[in-house]
């Protein structure tokens, strides 16, 4: 076996990134601005600062500065679990008998179990810096809520989490981890907010959705002085913080002169993919290098592959600004698939623009396919992946198998966003052959599109 490249590439102290990378700065076609749904004018800093911390509102609007300093306190927190290893999947390559080289960046090596902590600590830090008491947020699968709970415990802020009901029920242990870190957790839709009560009245049996939990968290924020809302994906600021993944990955690869041909990430709201690909996309945008980028989404929630590129609300209750993005409609309620972190109707606006410009590709995968890939990965590489991450694994395997056919030795990099320890119910269903592959029909999607706001001039 070739061992010139180690199984794991780590970074030395002086190679650790000290700035985040802001992808939008290098985009020629900038993502469309967030709009105030009342006036249909671009959201101003003042307006955004009602809901978000001021520094984060600034980051949200910044499409000029390519590099932004990571505050020292956040750098210090990162040191507890970063840099995350970049691993060469020698064992998987061997099993697939492929000439391709496969690398993955593993983000599950912290208690929250995913990349979400990279942005949670940043957002909670800025809240604390502004002298706030606490933050409110939502969580889908539970990874984001856990990450925020950890960040709040560390910086001693209070934390209120609305957890999508089906995950609240499927993953009681996640809830307990959050409570261990001091968070207050409610299933969403809840009876604690006007929007929650309204949704419950209209859909008493709903499984909940991220869009709905966001509405609840935003409403509670507006009613709670000293609190701001924070969100774990979709927003530009989240992609900015997640760029730490790509910056580390690129530094590690550069060290060994490895240039990936294909970069793959699962896509829920787009933050891990945007973060991983950011510094590579920069090279592409500047015309220095070319890469193929692939977003992988669940066939049951296909925002990029089957959605519309229009202005929509980021939540179901229509309380957030309007974002131009690939969307299935804010009223689209995805089926209760097990990759809870990918059950979101929209997509980050910058990624949406890049996709519209043909700079990234997108594919979708069915549930049983991704669990097959997850199992193969667990058995060969050792790490038990999150179902979300398994979407990226599946496509990395597909690409490696294509190389086997053509004899090309392409270099594949994918994001392994988290561990699957809290998803054993899903694995159980898969093993017992009780897992269904729900793919919405065009008529099903039409129901979601009906909820798009009617904005004739946009
Ligand atoms: C939240 C989550 C995702 C999807 O979110 P993105 O913002 O698209 O990255 C993927 N994997 C894991 C493990 C997650 O927790």
């Amino acid at each position: 076996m070739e061992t010139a490249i180690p199984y794991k590439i780590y970074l030395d102290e002086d190679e650790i990134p000290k700035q985040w990378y802001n992808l939008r700065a290098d985009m020629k076609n900038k993502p469309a601005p967030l709009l105030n749904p009342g006036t249909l004018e671009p959201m101003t800093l003042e307006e955004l600062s009602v809901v978000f911390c001021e520094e984060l509102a600034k980051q949200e609007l910044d499409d000029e500065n390519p590099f932004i300093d990571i505050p020292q306190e956040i750098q210090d927190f990162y040191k507890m679990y970063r840099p995350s290893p970049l691993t060469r999947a020698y064992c998987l390559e061997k099993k697939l008998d492929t000439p391709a080289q496969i690398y993955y960046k593993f983000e599950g090596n912290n208690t929250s179990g995913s990349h979400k902590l990279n942005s949670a600590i940043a957002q909670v830090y800025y809240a604390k810096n502004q002298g706030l008491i606490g933050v409110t947020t939502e969580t889908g699968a539970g990874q984001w809520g856990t990450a925020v709970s950890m960040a709040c415990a560390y910086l001693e802020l209070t934390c209120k989490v609305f957890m999508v009901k089906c995950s609240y029920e499927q993953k009681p242990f996640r809830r307990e981890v959050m409570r261990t870190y001091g968070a207050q957790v409610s299933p969403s839709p809840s009876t604690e907010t006007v929007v929650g009560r309204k949704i419950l009245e209209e859909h008493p049996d709903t499984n909940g959705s991220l869009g709905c939990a966001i509405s609840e968290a935003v409403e509670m924020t507006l009613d709670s002085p000293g609190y701001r809302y924070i969100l774990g994906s979709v927003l530009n600021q989240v992609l900015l913080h997640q760029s730490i993944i790509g910056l580390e990955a690129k530094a590690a690869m550069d060290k060994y002169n490895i240039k990936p041909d294909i970069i793959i990430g699962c896509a829920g709201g787009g933050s891990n993919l945007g973060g991983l690909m950011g510094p590579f996309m920069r090279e592409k945008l500047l015309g220095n290098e070319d890469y193929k980028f692939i977003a992988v989404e669940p066939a049951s929630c296909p925002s990029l592959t089957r959605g519309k590129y229009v202005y929509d609300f980021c939540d179901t209750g229509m309380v957030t600004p309007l974002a131009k993005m690939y969307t299935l409609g804010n009223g689209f309620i995805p089926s209760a698939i097990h990759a809870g972190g990918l059950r979101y109707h929209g997509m980050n606006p910058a990624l949406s623009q890049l996709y519209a410009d043909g700079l990234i590709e997108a594919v979708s995968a069915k549930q049983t396919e991704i669990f097959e890939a997850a199992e193969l990965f667990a058995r060969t590489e050792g790490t038990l992946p999150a179902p979300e991450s398994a979407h990226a694994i599946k496509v990395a395997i597909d690409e490696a198998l294509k190389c086997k056919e053509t004899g090309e030795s392409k270099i594949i990099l994918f994001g392994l966003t988290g561990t699957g320890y809290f998803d054993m119910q899903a694995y159980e269903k898969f093993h017992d052959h009780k897992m269904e592959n729900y793919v919405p029909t065009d008529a099903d999607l039409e129901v979601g599109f009906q909820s798009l706001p009617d904005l004739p001039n946009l």
Side-chain angles (χ1 to χ4, degrees):
M1 191 180 289
E2 180 195 355
T3 50
I5 295 164
Y7 271 83
K8 293 192 192 301
I9 306 176
Y10 289 100
L11 297 178
D12 298 329
E13 187 74 26
D14 61 344
E15 295 165 327
I16 293 172
K18 303 206 165 24
Q19 293 180 311
W20 289 302
Y21 170 60
N22 181 17
L23 177 62
R24 288 164 291 157
D26 290 311
M27 288 173 61
K28 280 167 206 90
N29 291 336
K30 303 286 182 200
L34 294 174
L35 298 185
N36 178 322
T39 61
L40 299 185
E41 292 295 320
M43 289 291 290
T44 62
L45 184 62
E46 292 69 31
E47 288 169 334
L48 276 181
S49 304
V50 177
V51 179
F52 299 126
C53 307
E54 212 171 295
E55 199 55 37
L56 292 168
K58 268 188 210 152
Q59 292 180 359
E60 196 56 37
L61 296 176
D62 184 346
D63 55 13
E64 300 275 314
N65 295 304
F67 292 97
I68 293 176
D69 289 343
I70 306 175
Q72 190 58 47
E73 207 165 346
I74 300 176
Q75 287 188 42
D76 291 343
F77 184 87
Y78 280 167
K79 281 179 196 156
M80 288 201 277
Y81 68 102
R82 309 200 68 83
S84 68
L86 179 78
T87 304
R88 169 91 184 258
Y90 279 116
C91 302
L92 179 63
E93 287 170 20
K94 194 169 162 211
K95 178 79 184 173
L96 297 174
D97 189 25
T98 172
Q101 291 181 30
I102 307 173
Y103 294 84
Y104 56 93
K105 180 82 169 152
F106 180 48
E107 290 292 317
N109 202 11
N110 66 76
T111 298
S112 79
S114 80
H115 65 290
K116 298 285 197 313
L117 194 55
N118 302 332
S119 185
I121 187 62
Q123 297 194 43
V124 174
Y125 166 83
Y126 289 116
K128 168 135 181 157
N129 236 19
Q130 196 174 315
L132 299 175
I133 308 166
V135 296
T136 49
T137 195
E138 77 298 314
T139 194
Q143 286 95 317
W144 170 245
T146 314
V148 176
S149 306
M150 288 176 70
C152 283
Y154 182 74
L155 294 171
E156 300 183 318
L157 258 66
T158 64
C159 176
K160 169 77 192 175
V161 181
F162 288 94
M163 183 170 187
V164 175
K165 195 155 133 203
C166 66
S167 299
Y168 188 88
E169 286 161 4
Q170 278 171 0
K171 302 187 180 186
F173 296 144
R174 275 239 172 251
R175 186 172 81 214
E176 283 331 301
V177 178
M178 287 186 247
R179 300 208 311 172
T180 301
Y181 285 95
Q184 229 195 314
V185 189
S186 305
S188 167
S190 77
T191 52
E192 292 168 54
T193 62
V194 175
V195 61
R197 289 192 290 272
K198 181 162 174 271
I199 293 170
L200 276 177
E201 211 167 278
E202 287 166 10
H203 309 277
D205 300 324
T206 178
N207 290 317
S209 68
L210 267 181
C212 160
I214 293 173
S215 306
E216 290 211 274
V218 171
E219 181 187 319
M220 181 153 282
T221 307
L222 296 173
D223 290 343
S224 314
Y227 279 75
R228 286 295 185 281
Y229 168 69
I230 65 176
L231 175 60
S233 184
V234 191
L235 298 172
N236 293 320
Q237 58 187 269
V238 184
L239 260 73
L240 174 72
H241 308 145
Q242 294 299 357
S243 69
I244 190 77
I245 305 173
L247 291 161
E248 285 180 4
K250 189 157 188 310
M253 292 189 119
D254 285 350
K255 217 166 143 164
Y256 286 86
N257 280 321
I258 310 161
K259 186 193 155 290
D261 298 293
I262 308 174
I263 297 167
I264 302 166
C266 61
S271 75
N272 85 82
L273 174 63
L276 174 68
M277 73 175 202
F280 297 97
M281 181 58 88
R282 172 163 213 248
E283 297 294 313
K284 181 160 170 159
L285 291 169
L286 299 179
N288 299 335
E289 295 282 1
D290 198 14
Y291 306 94
K292 174 168 160 169
F293 301 98
I294 310 177
V296 191
E297 57 187 15
S300 59
C301 193
S303 17
L304 286 171
T305 49
R306 294 175 69 195
K308 293 189 176 173
Y309 187 35
V310 292
Y311 268 102
D312 190 12
F313 288 97
C314 302
D315 67 322
T316 310
M318 302 189 246
V319 298
T320 61
L322 294 163
K324 188 172 178 194
M325 58 184 174
Y326 281 86
T327 175
L328 298 165
N330 61 73
F332 179 79
I333 297 208
S335 68
I337 54 159
H338 290 283
L342 306 183
R343 293 178 75 240
Y344 184 66
H345 66 271
M347 186 57 59
N348 168 266
L351 281 196
S352 292
Q353 183 64 52
L354 291 167
Y355 182 61
D357 290 341
L359 290 161
I360 54 181
E361 300 173 18
V363 294
S364 71
K366 297 193 189 107
Q367 265 199 122
T368 54
E369 295 172 339
I370 67 105
F371 276 92
E372 276 162 26
E375 200 172 75
L376 176 63
F377 186 80
R379 290 180 189 181
T380 49
E381 287 295 312
T383 300
L384 183 87
E388 291 89 349
S389 322
H391 286 72
I393 298 174
K394 151 93 177 107
V395 173
I397 291 175
D398 287 351
E399 291 294 328
L401 290 176
K402 276 186 212 162
C403 289
K404 186 174 170 177
E405 268 170 35
T406 61
E408 288 171 289
S409 48
K410 286 192 179 158
I411 299 180
I412 299 168
L413 167 65
F414 74 89
L416 186 68
T417 50
T419 58
Y421 297 133
F422 289 108
D423 298 283
M424 296 325 292
Q425 251 194 13
Y427 277 89
E428 181 186 22
K429 269 201 184 161
F430 173 67
H431 295 139
D432 292 344
H433 306 287
K434 288 185 180 147
M435 184 168 276
E436 285 165 26
N437 280 327
Y438 172 72
V439 181
T441 62
D442 287 345
D444 293 336
L445 292 185
E446 200 44 50
V447 175
F449 294 143
Q450 292 298 324
S451 66
L452 287 168
D454 191 14
L455 304 165
N457 299 323
L458 295 169

